[in-house]
Amino acid sequence: MAERLQKVMAQAGVASRRASEKLITDGRVTVNGKTSTELGTKVEPHDKIEVNGEPVEGNEKKVYFLLNKPREVVTTASDDKDRATVLDILKDVPQRVYPVGRLDYDTTGVLLLTNDGDLANQLMHPKYNIDKVYVAKVKGIPSNDDLKALRLGVTVHTVEKNRHKTYHAAPAKAEIVAVDRAKNTAIVRLTIHEGRYHQVKEMMKAVSHPVLKLTRERYGLLDVTDLAPGEYRELTYDEVQALKQGKQYRRSSGRL
């Protein structure tokens, strides 16, 4: 049965469907030796698909890895500035895995990598409301009014790819974890469900408390309390099934 090229690529774990579409329109995908740039292209199971000259294997085993992303590592497959990538850390993994969403170069914490395009699309889709919990060290000490604004949803003005953008961030859970009055800093925990560009940094800037340091503490039910920065592990079967079912929290025992 013929299926859209970007869907086949996502199912094979090449990238999310949206990222696969960009690979196609950028002319980086060939079908049976011919470059395909049309998003409506349909392929059959016997068709030979290549991305950047590498064959796409549709029957590759689905794998799922949890990484405690360190600082100064990018969450892309390659980098034009020759910086280290998360795939460099997982270089011993034989499957072609990709990160689910992104963390900034200087942001640490929970990052899921997989070749399961369907699950990646599910987790990144806003309608599933996956908790993304961040802990930020910020300049200044947010007031009750600042926290209220974050909980109601702040208006963000930002620049993305040299274009000015304005959007209203969805309401977030916001709480102060600790304060250092001598240094005039605070630790804030934010729980969001969106995944916009630099979102936590932009939200805190909108209430005049720029982020000094940022880590993602939890993604859905996943945390990295058992992993040092730069370490990773494969998810258990129960964890994968729980993610597919949309579960957000572990039981009090710490196990699913």
Side-chain angles (χ1 to χ4, degrees):
M1 181 183 297
E3 292 190 287
R4 288 183 180 273
L5 176 57
Q6 59 265 39
K7 180 179 179 181
V8 172
M9 291 169 60
Q11 289 175 336
V14 173
S16 69
R17 192 172 302 188
R18 182 175 297 179
S20 294
E21 289 175 351
K22 188 173 189 309
L23 289 171
I24 294 168
T25 56
D26 285 349
R28 296 165 64 182
V29 182
T30 62
V31 178
N32 299 326
K34 295 182 179 180
T35 301
S36 176
T37 59
E38 296 295 327
L39 296 181
T41 299
K42 290 190 174 183
V43 293
E44 300 281 353
H46 60 268
D47 286 328
K48 182 180 179 182
I49 304 169
E50 293 184 332
V51 178
N52 296 328
E54 295 291 329
V56 173
E57 302 293 341
N59 297 320
E60 189 173 51
K61 174 189 174 185
K62 296 294 188 289
V63 292
Y64 311 84
F65 291 94
L66 175 63
L67 168 69
N68 186 353
K69 179 192 169 297
R71 286 187 179 81
E72 299 183 356
V73 174
V74 295
T75 53
T76 54
S78 60
D79 183 63
D80 56 8
K81 298 178 182 178
D82 202 29
R83 295 174 294 184
T85 76
V86 292
L87 297 189
D88 292 329
I89 298 175
L90 276 74
K91 61 185 178 181
D92 293 330
V93 173
Q95 294 84 5
R96 185 204 300 264
V97 295
Y98 287 84
V100 178
R102 291 191 176 188
L103 291 179
D104 292 341
Y105 181 66
D106 58 349
T107 299
T108 63
V110 179
L111 186 67
L112 175 64
L113 298 100
T114 182
N115 58 357
D116 187 337
D118 287 339
L119 179 61
N121 287 329
Q122 175 184 322
L123 293 174
M124 290 188 290
H125 199 290
K127 78 176 183 180
Y128 289 98
N129 288 324
I130 300 296
D131 283 353
K132 302 178 182 72
V133 183
Y134 292 83
V135 175
K137 180 180 181 180
V138 302
K139 186 175 181 180
I141 301 172
S143 66
N144 288 334
D145 286 342
D146 294 330
L147 295 176
K148 182 179 179 180
L150 292 167
R151 292 165 184 160
L152 292 174
V154 295
T155 299
V156 169
H157 304 279
T158 185
V159 177
E160 184 177 343
K161 295 181 179 179
N162 297 319
R163 296 181 61 184
H164 290 272
K165 296 184 68 175
T166 298
Y167 65 87
H168 189 76
K173 295 179 182 178
E175 61 175 333
I176 294 179
V177 177
V179 299
D180 187 333
R181 298 192 182 279
K183 295 183 179 179
N184 192 33
T185 61
I187 306 296
V188 178
R189 179 178 286 113
L190 279 181
T191 302
I192 64 174
H193 299 116
E194 298 175 298
R196 296 177 182 268
Y197 183 71
H198 293 332
Q199 184 168 345
V200 171
K201 293 177 180 178
E202 296 294 346
M203 290 172 67
M204 294 310 304
K205 187 166 69 173
V207 294
S208 301
H209 293 287
V211 170
L212 303 174
K213 186 181 292 187
L214 184 63
T215 187
R216 183 155 68 188
E217 183 178 64
R218 183 166 60 82
Y219 186 98
L221 56 87
L222 301 175
D223 63 55
V224 289
T225 54
D226 58 340
L227 296 174
E231 289 186 343
Y232 66 92
R233 66 171 177 84
E234 194 163 3
L235 296 192
T236 66
Y237 173 83
D238 286 345
E239 286 173 327
V240 174
Q241 295 308 307
L243 285 173
K244 290 181 177 180
Q245 295 164 20
K247 293 182 180 179
Q248 299 267 26
Y249 303 99
R250 296 177 185 271
R251 297 195 182 109
S252 58
S253 66
R255 295 183 180 274
L256 291 172

